[in-house]
Amino acid sequence: MYRIDDPSASATLPTPEAALTEGYWTEGNPGTGTPATLERASWFNMIQEELRAIAVAGGLTPSKTTYNQVLLAIKRLVQNQAVLTDTGAVNAYAAANTPPLVTATWSNGTTQQIVVAHTNTGASTYSPDALTAIPIYGLGLRPLQQGEMFAGGTAILMKQTIAGVNSGNPIAVLLECAGGAQQVAPATASQHAVQLGQVAGVVGSVRNLVMSVTAASATATLTADEIIVETALGGVRYCLPSFSKTINLATTGAGGMDTGTAPVSGFVALYAIWNPTTSTAALLATNATSSLVGNVYGGANMPSGYTASALVSVRQTNASSQFVVGNQRDRRISAPQQAAVLTSTSTGGYTAQGITGNVPRNAVSYSGTAQISTTNNGTINIYVAEDANGSGVQNIFFGTPASTTSNLSVSYRDVLITTPGTMYYNVQVSGGGTVSAQINTTGYSI
């Protein structure tokens, strides 16, 4: 719809005369002295601008030699409201418009409504009328994630070119995908909608976790009513119900070691891991003998597709790289009694003692026993504490009758560990005779 371009035309839109009462054209009647209706420039300008506005709104460039621009523009504007049928495939959406879009009319701001035929499983593209496919982004301006377009839903897509997004190349922004009560796919990034099961919980939280090793073995089964895993601390979380998985320290990958072989007479950390694409859970072990490990797996050997994890256990291995006998309930782990301290004299104060051979560096507390063998006719006090200041001290007191040989044992429980792999103890002996004092560990919590 090209404007009048006669040399006599005004370069600017003239101000129209004041509006009068609306009426209708007439050819007049000379017999009755009725004049014909005058043709005013203001009226022609109005008609011209109305028609031109339709053409421009339809994304067309006004042309002097095209005589159906208003019609094409109306059809193009109607396309923004037409509901099209998805003729593409999973993650590669397509549709046909009438008339077909062309490069010039597939412009920024153009919207398309399509009835989705396939639920997407990840990043996706849209190609109307066989034009170059462009990636689909969500409202957070990130590539489409699993389940954001679902079969049977009506998706509204708008073409946009945004600096800094997709390297400045065009994208199709998914404004909405609606169509009844749709199950929200599990979120896989922080800006996604989440299922209710992903809303609450702290990584590593468990309910009724059990792992019992009744004889030294490279394999063990861990079960739990629920385990909370996350993609990272503060990241996307998942609740894994009815967890029951076996770990084999003689293998690698999901269900085995993350890499290499299990340590000899050391510790392995066990992670519950989750693949949100396949909805698959597994256990993964990593060497935790000489260092603290994270509450979320931080190694470089996560099995492909698994994106979320949580530390659920740290267990001791023997000289054959097998699990040592012991039981676990939730975060508490028992183990065979192992000596940590053996002394026959007073310490004179709190003494630090490394216990990394008995408990892992991830342990937050430990339990055990204290034993004495003495001919002392006096007393022995054994203290275990959290630090060199005696914080949280537990006092184990032994008193023996005169001239009596005694062998006594007393338990202590849940002494907090403030320095990873370290216990603090104090032995005080009074009276005569020979004394042998021993502090043992029998378990820990992580």
Side-chain angles (χ1 to χ4, degrees):
M1 177 60 195
Y2 206 74
R3 288 192 178 104
I4 184 70
D5 61 350
D6 188 84
S8 63
S10 171
T12 60
L13 180 65
T15 301
E17 61 276 0
L20 301 177
T21 302
E22 289 182 311
Y24 302 92
W25 292 91
T26 176
E27 295 179 355
N29 187 341
T32 61
T34 302
T37 304
L38 295 178
E39 299 173 348
R40 291 182 176 271
S42 59
W43 189 87
F44 285 109
N45 283 334
M46 177 184 66
I47 298 300
Q48 172 182 266
E49 295 308 303
E50 290 276 2
L51 295 175
R52 181 184 174 89
I54 295 172
V56 172
L60 304 178
T61 300
S63 168
K64 188 173 182 178
T65 58
T66 304
Y67 304 114
N68 63 345
Q69 286 194 299
V70 172
L71 174 62
L72 290 175
I74 291 173
K75 289 183 176 180
R76 185 68 65 220
L77 293 170
V78 170
Q79 283 177 348
N80 284 341
Q81 304 301 319
V83 179
L84 309 175
T85 300
D86 174 20
T87 58
V90 176
N91 301 338
Y93 298 95
N97 291 271
T98 304
L101 287 170
V102 295
T103 301
T105 56
W106 180 217
S107 55
N108 284 341
T110 302
T111 61
Q112 298 271 275
Q113 296 188 65
I114 64 172
V115 176
V116 179
H118 309 280
T119 300
N120 78 297
T121 61
S124 303
T125 61
Y126 179 57
S127 171
D129 303 307
L131 294 173
T132 301
I134 59 176
I136 303 173
Y137 278 52
L139 288 175
L141 297 183
R142 296 290 185 273
L144 208 63
Q145 303 294 315
Q146 176 188 3
E148 291 192 80
M149 290 177 62
F150 53 89
T154 299
I156 302 177
L157 300 168
M158 175 184 287
K159 184 178 181 181
Q160 287 293 337
T161 302
I162 303 171
V165 178
N166 191 32
S167 300
N169 295 311
I171 61 173
V173 180
L174 176 64
L175 302 179
E176 179 184 16
C177 188
Q182 167 64 14
Q183 173 67 46
V184 176
T188 56
S190 59
Q191 74 271 20
H192 296 161
V194 296
Q195 295 179 335
L196 289 178
Q198 293 183 270
V199 173
V202 176
V203 65
S205 296
V206 298
R207 176 66 66 182
N208 292 332
L209 184 149
V210 175
M211 179 179 169
S212 296
V213 179
T214 57
S217 173
T219 63
T221 298
L222 185 148
T223 63
D225 290 350
E226 289 185 344
I227 299 176
I228 301 296
V229 297
E230 291 184 0
T231 55
L233 294 181
V236 179
R237 64 179 54 89
Y238 302 88
C239 179
L240 311 185
S242 304
F243 190 94
S244 180
K245 297 297 175 182
T246 297
I247 187 75
N248 185 347
L249 300 183
T251 64
T252 57
M257 293 293 298
D258 61 343
T259 185
T261 58
V264 173
S265 300
F267 289 91
V268 290
L270 302 183
Y271 288 89
I273 59 175
W274 175 249
N275 183 329
T277 301
T278 60
S279 297
T280 303
L283 287 170
L284 184 69
T286 189
N287 192 333
T289 303
S290 59
S291 62
L292 284 165
V293 295
N295 286 299
V296 172
Y297 179 76
N301 299 287
M302 179 73 93
S304 178
Y306 290 86
T307 59
S309 62
L311 178 68
V312 291
S313 184
V314 185
R315 300 297 291 260
Q316 193 169 17
T317 60
N318 61 18
S320 299
S321 300
Q322 299 172 316
F323 287 115
V324 168
V325 170
N327 300 297
Q328 178 173 353
R329 188 65 183 248
D330 290 341
R331 309 292 287 191
R332 188 187 298 274
I333 300 165
S334 66
Q337 181 170 280
Q338 299 177 78
V341 174
L342 181 62
T343 183
S344 59
T345 60
S346 297
T347 59
Y350 285 98
T351 301
Q353 174 67 41
I355 52 174
T356 54
N358 297 34
V359 303
R361 295 177 185 272
N362 278 79
V364 297
S365 67
Y366 64 96
S367 302
T369 63
Q371 299 173 319
I372 65 162
S373 175
T374 179
T375 60
N376 183 11
N377 58 3
T379 61
I380 301 174
N381 284 281
I382 299 177
Y383 303 89
V384 287
E386 301 168 4
D387 54 33
N389 298 316
S391 302
V393 65
Q394 295 190 38
N395 180 15
I396 304 161
F397 171 81
F398 295 96
T400 60
S403 303
T404 300
T405 299
S406 299
N407 293 282
L408 302 174
S409 178
V410 178
S411 298
Y412 63 91
R413 190 173 185 81
D414 295 330
V415 179
L416 295 182
I417 296 176
T418 56
T419 302
T422 304
M423 73 181 303
Y424 291 86
Y425 72 98
N426 185 4
V427 176
Q428 296 180 359
V429 179
S430 62
T434 301
V435 175
S436 175
Q438 182 170 313
I439 304 174
N440 309 302
T441 60
T442 58
Y444 51 91
S445 295
I446 60 170

